[in-house]
């Protein structure tokens, strides 16, 4: 929800947000099923997911979320 609030503040439309608690198989299966125009990665193993997406022909990039590390869960 925090990501969604930040996106709204910057007038960015986010049609789908997948939980960071998804495991690798579920995450990649969802991305394969949806075949989005681009994947934005907020944390975790950004380089691994970006590389996997690239191999699937899906552009992906890690986002630097301002203040993300400063927030409490």
């Amino acid at each position: 929800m925090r990501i969604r609030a930040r996106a709204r503040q910057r007038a960015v439309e986010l049609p789908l947000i997948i939980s960071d608690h998804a495991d690798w198989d579920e995450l990649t299966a969802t991305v394969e099923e949806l075949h989005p125009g681009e994947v934005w990665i907020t944390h975790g193993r950004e380089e691994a997911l970006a590389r996997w997406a690239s191999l699937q022909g899906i552009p992906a990039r890690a986002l630097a979320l301002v203040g993300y590390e400063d927030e409490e869960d």
Side-chain angles (χ1 to χ4, degrees), residues 1-18:
M1 296 312 285
R2 291 177 183 162
I3 294 168
R4 194 175 297 229
R6 284 195 182 138
R8 247 191 317 263
Q9 291 170 354
R10 292 187 174 87
V12 174
E13 187 175 327
L14 295 175
L16 175 66
I17 297 174
I18 299 174

Side-chain angles (χ1 to χ4, degrees), residues 5-62:
R6 284 195 182 138
R8 247 191 317 263
Q9 291 170 354
R10 292 187 174 87
V12 174
E13 187 175 327
L14 295 175
L16 175 66
I17 297 174
I18 299 174
S19 170
D20 63 336
H21 297 285
D23 71 19
W24 181 262
D25 293 336
E26 291 170 336
L27 181 60
T28 55
T30 300
V31 173
E32 284 179 319
E33 180 181 338
L34 298 175
H35 200 77
E38 184 174 14
V39 172
W40 294 352
I41 307 160
T42 58
H43 67 283
R45 303 250 176 182
E46 294 103 340
E47 65 284 345
L49 185 54
R51 174 71 177 144
W52 176 87
S54 174
L55 292 172
Q56 307 309 308
I58 302 169
R61 62 186 173 115

